[in-house]
Amino acid sequence: MDESEVLTDREAGGTGTYVMKKLPEVTLAFWIMKIAATTLGETAGDLFSQTMRLGYFLTTIALFLVFVVTLVVQLGSRRYNPFFYWTVILSTSMAGTTMSDFMNRDASAEYLSGGATSLGRGPQGLGLGYPAGAAILVSILVVIFAVWKLTGMTFVIRDITTFRGEALFWSAILVSNTLGTSMGDFLSDSSGLGYLGGALLVSGLLAVLLLLTRVPVVPNVLLFWIAFVLTRPLGATAGDFLTKPVAKGGLDLGTAGSSAVLLLVLLGLMGHAHLKERRKTAPGGEAVARGV
């Protein structure tokens, strides 16, 4: 059997047919890459919509199409590929950034800076505000999880092996990243905490979740999904802290420069994950190829 056909050590449905692992193990490296990808998603989304003046609406359409293309590649993959997986995570973060901005913002003065008179090309935004936008996104996310629950499929990502399960997983990821952007922007812009304060608050909440993993009665799957949502506002606030003007509490590093540095960091992490995966699938590695 070809090395690419390395299978998990879990049988599917007790039939003796082995299934291929499509999603990563949840480790410390996983969370580091998630935060890097979501921070890059924030700075890159702002780069296209604000710095390049494409506007939220047109950028959302373009980035959603990028998400669809990357998702098709991921769904068509026969095994876990770190480059495919994290590219989809990045595309959901970028699309989620501009989707959230289009839902929550409009062309009023509070969202404009530097003498700008508009938010860019195309429709200027729905102006729902962060609370209303978050309520809509939470409702959509609850519906996705309810449908997921009714299917009877697992919420544990390492055990998701079907097309339908993976489609539900990526739907939840896209909505959760959009919701996380709304939460991060609210903390940074409207709560009075500022960019650094918002990041510290989310970091504290993540630390509490880490402690709760030691509590047997709290399901780790629930903690995972809460953490997955919270790492998005952490990325949003961290991205804003890097790019926004000093007068607004940021470091004013710019969206282009910050995105370039974050992209290099993420590519380095993806390369490391790819090499680690290859070592697992090599003869004598952790995974064992089985003929079917």
PDB file of all heavy atoms in Angstrom, residues 264-278:
ATOM      1  N   LEU A 264       4.586  34.177   7.411  1.00  0.00           N
ATOM      2  CA  LEU A 264       5.826  33.430   7.514  1.00  0.00           C
ATOM      3  C   LEU A 264       5.822  32.518   8.737  1.00  0.00           C
ATOM      4  O   LEU A 264       6.272  31.366   8.677  1.00  0.00           O
ATOM      5  CB  LEU A 264       7.016  34.389   7.579  1.00  0.00           C
ATOM      6  CG  LEU A 264       7.340  35.156   6.291  1.00  0.00           C
ATOM      7  CD1 LEU A 264       8.461  36.166   6.541  1.00  0.00           C
ATOM      8  CD2 LEU A 264       7.737  34.192   5.183  1.00  0.00           C
ATOM      9  N   VAL A 265       5.305  33.039   9.855  1.00  0.00           N
ATOM     10  CA  VAL A 265       5.207  32.225  11.074  1.00  0.00           C
ATOM     11  C   VAL A 265       4.300  31.018  10.843  1.00  0.00           C
ATOM     12  O   VAL A 265       4.650  29.877  11.185  1.00  0.00           O
ATOM     13  CB  VAL A 265       4.682  33.075  12.252  1.00  0.00           C
ATOM     14  CG1 VAL A 265       4.371  32.187  13.462  1.00  0.00           C
ATOM     15  CG2 VAL A 265       5.701  34.141  12.636  1.00  0.00           C
ATOM     16  N   LEU A 266       3.130  31.263  10.243  1.00  0.00           N
ATOM     17  CA  LEU A 266       2.180  30.175  10.011  1.00  0.00           C
ATOM     18  C   LEU A 266       2.748  29.145   9.030  1.00  0.00           C
ATOM     19  O   LEU A 266       2.595  27.935   9.237  1.00  0.00           O
ATOM     20  CB  LEU A 266       0.860  30.730   9.484  1.00  0.00           C
ATOM     21  CG  LEU A 266      -0.258  29.701   9.295  1.00  0.00           C
ATOM     22  CD1 LEU A 266      -0.577  29.001  10.603  1.00  0.00           C
ATOM     23  CD2 LEU A 266      -1.509  30.359   8.735  1.00  0.00           C
ATOM     24  N   LEU A 267       3.408  29.607   7.967  1.00  0.00           N
ATOM     25  CA  LEU A 267       4.012  28.676   7.010  1.00  0.00           C
ATOM     26  C   LEU A 267       5.086  27.825   7.681  1.00  0.00           C
ATOM     27  O   LEU A 267       5.212  26.625   7.392  1.00  0.00           O
ATOM     28  CB  LEU A 267       4.604  29.441   5.833  1.00  0.00           C
ATOM     29  CG  LEU A 267       3.601  30.028   4.834  1.00  0.00           C
ATOM     30  CD1 LEU A 267       4.318  30.882   3.795  1.00  0.00           C
ATOM     31  CD2 LEU A 267       2.807  28.923   4.143  1.00  0.00           C
ATOM     32  N   GLY A 268       5.856  28.439   8.566  1.00  0.00           N
ATOM     33  CA  GLY A 268       6.859  27.682   9.302  1.00  0.00           C
ATOM     34  C   GLY A 268       6.234  26.608  10.179  1.00  0.00           C
ATOM     35  O   GLY A 268       6.708  25.469  10.216  1.00  0.00           O
ATOM     36  N   LEU A 269       5.142  26.955  10.865  1.00  0.00           N
ATOM     37  CA  LEU A 269       4.441  25.981  11.705  1.00  0.00           C
ATOM     38  C   LEU A 269       3.806  24.876  10.871  1.00  0.00           C
ATOM     39  O   LEU A 269       3.828  23.700  11.256  1.00  0.00           O
ATOM     40  CB  LEU A 269       3.369  26.700  12.535  1.00  0.00           C
ATOM     41  CG  LEU A 269       3.884  27.662  13.608  1.00  0.00           C
ATOM     42  CD1 LEU A 269       2.727  28.471  14.191  1.00  0.00           C
ATOM     43  CD2 LEU A 269       4.599  26.899  14.718  1.00  0.00           C
ATOM     44  N   MET A 270       3.254  25.244   9.713  1.00  0.00           N
ATOM     45  CA  MET A 270       2.665  24.249   8.827  1.00  0.00           C
ATOM     46  C   MET A 270       3.733  23.299   8.292  1.00  0.00           C
ATOM     47  O   MET A 270       3.511  22.082   8.188  1.00  0.00           O
ATOM     48  CB  MET A 270       1.934  24.943   7.673  1.00  0.00           C
ATOM     49  CG  MET A 270       0.669  25.663   8.104  1.00  0.00           C
ATOM     50  SD  MET A 270       0.052  26.854   6.870  1.00  0.00           S
ATOM     51  CE  MET A 270      -0.438  25.761   5.541  1.00  0.00           C
ATOM     52  N   GLY A 271       4.885  23.846   7.945  1.00  0.00           N
ATOM     53  CA  GLY A 271       5.980  23.007   7.479  1.00  0.00           C
ATOM     54  C   GLY A 271       6.435  22.028   8.555  1.00  0.00           C
ATOM     55  O   GLY A 271       6.690  20.848   8.281  1.00  0.00           O
ATOM     56  N   HIS A 272       6.529  22.522   9.795  1.00  0.00           N
ATOM     57  CA  HIS A 272       6.910  21.648  10.915  1.00  0.00           C
ATOM     58  C   HIS A 272       5.885  20.544  11.112  1.00  0.00           C
ATOM     59  O   HIS A 272       6.243  19.367  11.314  1.00  0.00           O
ATOM     60  CB  HIS A 272       7.043  22.482  12.189  1.00  0.00           C
ATOM     61  CG  HIS A 272       7.304  21.658  13.422  1.00  0.00           C
ATOM     62  ND1 HIS A 272       8.523  21.071  13.668  1.00  0.00           N
ATOM     63  CD2 HIS A 272       6.487  21.306  14.456  1.00  0.00           C
ATOM     64  CE1 HIS A 272       8.460  20.402  14.802  1.00  0.00           C
ATOM     65  NE2 HIS A 272       7.240  20.529  15.298  1.00  0.00           N
ATOM     66  N   ALA A 273       4.589  20.898  11.048  1.00  0.00           N
ATOM     67  CA  ALA A 273       3.527  19.900  11.206  1.00  0.00           C
ATOM     68  C   ALA A 273       3.570  18.876  10.081  1.00  0.00           C
ATOM     69  O   ALA A 273       3.330  17.680  10.300  1.00  0.00           O
ATOM     70  CB  ALA A 273       2.165  20.588  11.238  1.00  0.00           C
ATOM     71  N   HIS A 274       3.891  19.327   8.857  1.00  0.00           N
ATOM     72  CA  HIS A 274       3.968  18.419   7.718  1.00  0.00           C
ATOM     73  C   HIS A 274       5.108  17.415   7.899  1.00  0.00           C
ATOM     74  O   HIS A 274       4.934  16.212   7.643  1.00  0.00           O
ATOM     75  CB  HIS A 274       4.163  19.222   6.437  1.00  0.00           C
ATOM     76  CG  HIS A 274       4.210  18.376   5.203  1.00  0.00           C
ATOM     77  ND1 HIS A 274       3.103  17.724   4.706  1.00  0.00           N
ATOM     78  CD2 HIS A 274       5.244  18.064   4.365  1.00  0.00           C
ATOM     79  CE1 HIS A 274       3.441  17.045   3.619  1.00  0.00           C
ATOM     80  NE2 HIS A 274       4.729  17.249   3.393  1.00  0.00           N
ATOM     81  N   LEU A 275       6.266  17.894   8.340  1.00  0.00           N
ATOM     82  CA  LEU A 275       7.399  16.995   8.570  1.00  0.00           C
ATOM     83  C   LEU A 275       7.087  15.997   9.673  1.00  0.00           C
ATOM     84  O   LEU A 275       7.451  14.809   9.577  1.00  0.00           O
ATOM     85  CB  LEU A 275       8.645  17.807   8.929  1.00  0.00           C
ATOM     86  CG  LEU A 275       9.248  18.653   7.808  1.00  0.00           C
ATOM     87  CD1 LEU A 275      10.400  19.495   8.342  1.00  0.00           C
ATOM     88  CD2 LEU A 275       9.717  17.762   6.660  1.00  0.00           C
ATOM     89  N   LYS A 276       6.408  16.455  10.710  1.00  0.00           N
ATOM     90  CA  LYS A 276       6.029  15.564  11.807  1.00  0.00           C
ATOM     91  C   LYS A 276       5.070  14.491  11.319  1.00  0.00           C
ATOM     92  O   LYS A 276       5.170  13.318  11.707  1.00  0.00           O
ATOM     93  CB  LYS A 276       5.389  16.382  12.934  1.00  0.00           C
ATOM     94  CG  LYS A 276       5.044  15.572  14.167  1.00  0.00           C
ATOM     95  CD  LYS A 276       4.491  16.468  15.260  1.00  0.00           C
ATOM     96  CE  LYS A 276       4.129  15.643  16.497  1.00  0.00           C
ATOM     97  NZ  LYS A 276       3.561  16.513  17.570  1.00  0.00           N
ATOM     98  N   GLU A 277       4.135  14.878  10.457  1.00  0.00           N
ATOM     99  CA  GLU A 277       3.182  13.924   9.914  1.00  0.00           C
ATOM    100  C   GLU A 277       3.882  12.897   9.024  1.00  0.00           C
ATOM    101  O   GLU A 277       3.537  11.706   9.050  1.00  0.00           O
ATOM    102  CB  GLU A 277       2.099  14.664   9.119  1.00  0.00           C
ATOM    103  CG  GLU A 277       0.846  13.853   8.848  1.00  0.00           C
ATOM    104  CD  GLU A 277       0.046  13.535  10.091  1.00  0.00           C
ATOM    105  OE1 GLU A 277       0.203  14.248  11.107  1.00  0.00           O
ATOM    106  OE2 GLU A 277      -0.719  12.555  10.044  1.00  0.00           O
ATOM    107  N   ARG A 278       4.862  13.330   8.258  1.00  0.00           N
ATOM    108  CA  ARG A 278       5.613  12.409   7.405  1.00  0.00           C
ATOM    109  C   ARG A 278       6.409  11.411   8.240  1.00  0.00           C
ATOM    110  O   ARG A 278       6.520  10.230   7.870  1.00  0.00           O
ATOM    111  CB  ARG A 278       6.559  13.180   6.479  1.00  0.00           C
ATOM    112  CG  ARG A 278       5.857  13.890   5.337  1.00  0.00           C
ATOM    113  CD  ARG A 278       6.854  14.617   4.455  1.00  0.00           C
ATOM    114  NE  ARG A 278       7.790  13.692   3.839  1.00  0.00           N
ATOM    115  CZ  ARG A 278       7.580  13.061   2.694  1.00  0.00           C
ATOM    116  NH1 ARG A 278       6.447  13.242   2.039  1.00  0.00           N
ATOM    117  NH2 ARG A 278       8.492  12.247   2.190  1.00  0.00           N
TER     118      ARG A 278
END
